[in-house]
Amino acid sequence: MERSIDLLHGLSDAEARRRLLSHGPNELPTGRRRGVAAILLEVVREPMFILLLAGGTLYFFLGDLQEALMLLGFVFVVMGITLYQEQKTERALEALRDLSSPRALVIREGRQTRIAGREVVPGDIVLLAEGDRVPADGVLLEATSLSVDESLLTGESVPVRKSAAALEEGAQREAFAGDSVGASGGRDPLDGLTMGPPGGDDLPFVYSGTLVVQGQAIAAILATGAATELGKIGKALETVDSHRTRLQQETGRLVQRLAVIGLALCVVVVLAYWLTRGSLIHGILAGITLAMATLPEEFPVVLTVFLALGAWRISKQQVLTRRIPAVETLGSATVLCVDKTGTLTMNRMEVDTIVAGEESLRLGNVPVDSLPEPYHELVEYAILASQRDPFDPMEQAMKRLGELTLSSTEHLHRDWDLVHEYPLSKQLLAMSRVYRALDRRDYLIAVKGAPEAVADLCHLDSAASARVAEQVASLADRGLRILGVARATFRQPELPGIQHDFAFAFLGLIGLADPIRAGVPASVRECESAGIRVIMITGDYPGTARNIAQAIGLAAGSIITGPELAQMDDAQLAERCRTVGVFARVVPEQKLRLVSALKAEGEIVAMTGDGVNDAPALKEADIGIAMGSRGTDVAREASDLVLLDDDFSSIVAAVRLGRRIYDNIRKAIAYILAVHIPIAGMSLLPVLFDWPLVLLPVHILFLELIIDPTCSVVFEAEPEEFDVMRRKPRRTTERLFSTQTVILSLLQGGGVLLVVLVVFILARSAGMGAAESRTVTFTALVVANLGLMMTNRSWDHTIFTTLRVRNRALWWVAGAAVVLLGAVLAVPALRGLFHFAAIGPGPLLVAIGAGAAGVLWFEALKLVMKRSRKKPLRHAS
């Protein structure tokens, strides 16, 4: 396989872009994208839209053309707000769909590059491995033990064998090796190739959407998107999950109950108005006003917008949400089970320590450009014993070290010609490369491999062997991977058949480490303060695992190895899982047992994985997290989240965002419950007590222009609480509409209702007319609405504290509300539309002060709770 990869050049970046424009993205229509027309159709079905039309029609028949036109005009305003909200949600979902596109490993300009599957074009050279989803239809150029599950296309569950058949002319295959693919003026070797049907063994074709279950291959892409076999039969690609979440179900039940209560009250209002005032039409208008006041339309909007935009925000932290309920669950996670390699570490080997003779040097302690002379030969021969353009991570690390330390010396610029290679074997874990100077007959041999194998090749005496073994043990205790390096010269014309026939001289040891990601220690500390256990799972040896745990600040406790785990029953494992922080020498199949054991202890488990065998554990975990860069498509499909950069810190950032999203949903819900109480109350009470009506449909619409963006934009954009990662995970049994949340929201709304009602009664007592009383009462209600918005930003901190926290949307909405209210109060034409009267500065200040006072008691309660050091309000359930 490596020789083929070396030969294949693939498309140029420019040619790939040209073909992407010509053929279009490699994707199929999902049927989920909604245009403006579809969104508008949904809007006209909304109850609020129907109520506005009904109110406008009634005013029209009553001859109040101004009122009718104003209500019908508000229809377009409400439609505009809804369109903005829905399109913002659609854009977020569209971004998630783009990220959800299966990844493909292609060769472009001679480089292996992982791209989104939608960017694959005809002519691309694709590398396939076990667990990959084939990104498009193609023909095999080379395959090793390849089996593919084509059940998606054929319905046959048994995988079929694949073999790479020669193209029509043998010379065409070589055309893929250079720049001729898609080159100007050259014949594309793909021309004339026709895909056969799926199904059957030993065929050379692979198909989009099918799954590689064994082996590896190199394929040339022939068809993408709708032109693939998958496209022809109309199958749809995976998209963002849209099932109703637990929060949506809970909210749906509440909305149904409130709708029933609101409908019953509307009937009461219509009948009461008709019986006491003798006008059925005006009674219906009063009923419509109350219906608009009590309609809980914001609840489903909040959940749809918050969860969709929450998933989009999480994607900005390099974490793709494949299943929306995972956004809810993130805030409840109590255990993060993470792989070591690539998640906690960089998955990139670096030379940590070099040992030459009795001297040892840790490279982190010296500048790389000042490597002492005694180590030059060791580094040089380590590089000579490696591939010239290496794929192996350890060989790449040694090459980087040489380029940094020896580039100004003669060691990397000798004119050597590679003439032979002795490969690694099970019998001897060392490889040698034989060179010869172009102007000399002498051979030079460089060898690297397992220290004990290289020591054996050097025929070291017992004392030297013991010294090397001691050095190896010292490096191994630090969790390093160790290579021995040696050199030899040879003058006979014929090279020997085995490496043992050379007289090697031992040069030293090279210790390599996979560096820890920079942000991991801080993220582990953050998890600890958030009450989240971090458990490291690795296939490495216990010594390596212990050193990594110490480096990142993870309390390992005792370490359980895979063989030890296999000897435990489920009860024993569950017991040990309470204290163990590191599992070493674990095979993927054992991850499922670990997840089950942790869940049996009541933990909410997030588990990372990347391989085919990790899929059952990812599916069983409460939050399955697949690796995006190195993970297989099987692992990604079994997961709830995909870690696009494979970085542990991104998981912690996603948990932080998950907690923020849930907090903000709760704030928005509390605000909605609270603000509707005074609105509904001031719509109902005047009818029952035969007072002049305070709120008409136009007033409800004005308030909705504040409420809608507040609950869906302001609270969604609210930054996280100060202590979001300094509190324990949320219990999964905790309800969004908890008893405390409902009671405090009712008290907030009731307090505002009381204040506004007092303002109305005092205004009437002072001899104000209906229009003047309505004006001061409505002003107090708008100010109180803004107060509810401010006070519900945090149930722990006062308004004066939260004002220092930036939220641009808050000031846009509050500023617009103040400007609109000022315009309605100041402009005579608008006053007439709202049935208001001009009022002096005294009553206006009283109304503003009363509105602000409506939330002061809750601000005082926050201070009392804080000073008494009791549990914060929002943590109680």
Side-chain angles (χ1 to χ4, degrees), residues 768-784:
M768 288 186 177
E772 292 172 311
S773 301
R774 182 181 296 116
T775 304
V776 293
T777 304
F778 185 77
T779 300
L781 183 56
V782 171
V783 173

Side-chain angles (χ1 to χ4, degrees), residues 465-510:
S465 296
R467 184 176 69 251
V468 170
E470 184 179 343
Q471 292 169 336
V472 168
S474 175
L475 296 176
D477 285 342
R478 289 168 38 209
L480 302 180
R481 295 188 180 183
I482 309 151
L483 292 174
V485 180
R487 59 160 291 179
T489 55
F490 191 76
R491 291 193 173 184
Q492 296 181 20
E494 293 293 331
L495 292 173
I498 59 175
Q499 299 176 70
H500 270 291
D501 289 343
F502 295 114
F504 283 107
F506 193 80
L507 296 178
L509 302 170
I510 294 182

Side-chain angles (χ1 to χ4, degrees), residues 768 772 775-776 825 837-848:
M768 288 186 177
E772 292 172 311
T775 304
V776 293
L825 295 176
I839 57 174
L844 180 62
L845 290 175
V846 170
I848 293 172

Side-chain angles (χ1 to χ4, degrees), residues 181-459:
V181 177
S184 177
R187 188 168 75 87
D188 194 326
L190 297 174
D191 289 345
L193 284 175
T194 303
M195 294 286 295
D201 288 325
D202 299 321
L203 296 176
F205 302 111
V206 288
Y207 302 89
S208 175
T210 59
L211 180 66
V212 178
V213 296
Q214 181 181 337
Q216 53 186 342
I218 303 171
I221 297 302
L222 299 179
T224 60
T228 63
E229 196 71 22
L230 185 64
K232 293 174 185 175
I233 63 175
K235 295 289 183 181
L237 294 177
E238 183 101 26
T239 58
V240 177
D241 192 13
S242 62
H243 294 301
R244 285 168 59 84
T245 69
R246 183 182 61 81
L247 290 183
Q248 289 171 328
Q249 293 170 358
E250 184 182 348
T251 303
R253 289 191 294 268
L254 179 66
V255 167
Q256 290 174 357
R257 293 168 186 167
L258 291 177
V260 171
I261 294 172
L263 181 61
L265 290 175
C266 288
V267 173
V268 170
V269 165
V270 172
L271 293 176
Y273 198 101
W274 184 23
L275 293 174
T276 58
R277 309 188 192 193
S279 174
L280 178 60
I281 292 182
H282 284 90
I284 293 173
L285 278 173
I288 288 175
T289 302
L290 181 59
M292 293 169 64
T294 58
L295 187 68
E297 62 167 358
E298 296 91 354
F299 287 142
V301 171
V302 163
L303 292 182
T304 301
V305 170
F306 277 50
L307 292 177
L309 292 183
W312 174 78
R313 288 185 188 278
I314 289 174
S315 74
K316 296 299 182 182
Q317 299 294 329
Q318 299 299 305
V319 180
L320 167 65
T321 305
R322 295 192 68 255
R323 295 181 177 87
I324 293 296
V327 177
E328 298 176 23
T329 314
L330 275 170
S332 300
T334 60
V335 174
L336 298 182
C337 295
V338 294
D339 292 315
K340 174 186 73 67
T341 304
T343 307
L344 300 175
T345 64
M346 296 290 292
N347 194 26
R348 186 189 71 195
M349 301 303 295
E350 295 289 352
V351 178
D352 179 274
T353 303
I354 49 181
V355 179
E358 299 293 337
E359 301 297 323
S360 175
L361 179 67
R362 293 197 68 170
L363 295 180
N365 298 332
V366 297
V368 292
D369 58 355
S370 60
L371 188 68
E373 179 65 34
Y375 300 99
H376 286 194
E377 191 176 37
L378 170 62
V379 174
E380 176 190 13
Y381 278 86
I383 295 171
L384 287 172
S386 305
Q387 297 288 335
R388 189 182 300 269
D389 187 16
F391 284 95
D392 181 82
M394 291 190 288
E395 292 187 349
Q396 289 176 342
M398 289 182 286
K399 181 180 180 181
R400 284 194 297 269
L401 177 62
E403 290 171 347
L404 288 170
T405 61
L406 302 180
S407 58
S408 61
T409 71
E410 78 285 358
H411 293 280
L412 292 188
H413 302 286
R414 295 181 179 176
D415 199 8
W416 300 108
D417 184 25
L418 177 66
V419 296
H420 189 66
E421 180 175 305
Y422 294 91
L424 194 76
S425 67
K426 292 183 179 179
Q427 292 74 30
L428 184 64
L429 298 177
M431 64 174 294
S432 297
R433 290 167 69 85
V434 182
Y435 296 87
R436 183 167 57 191
L438 296 182
D439 56 348
R440 296 174 57 188
R441 296 181 56 192
D442 293 351
Y443 294 99
L444 181 144
I445 304 95
V447 62
K448 70 171 178 24
E452 60 274 16
V454 175
D456 181 46
L457 287 174
C458 295
H459 306 292

Side-chain angles (χ1 to χ4, degrees), residues 708-727:
D708 278 357
T710 296
C711 65
S712 62
V713 178
V714 172
F715 283 113
E716 194 283 327
E718 187 65 23
E720 63 200 37
E721 291 277 356
F722 301 105
D723 65 341
V724 70
M725 290 299 280
R726 293 199 296 272
R727 48 176 138 111

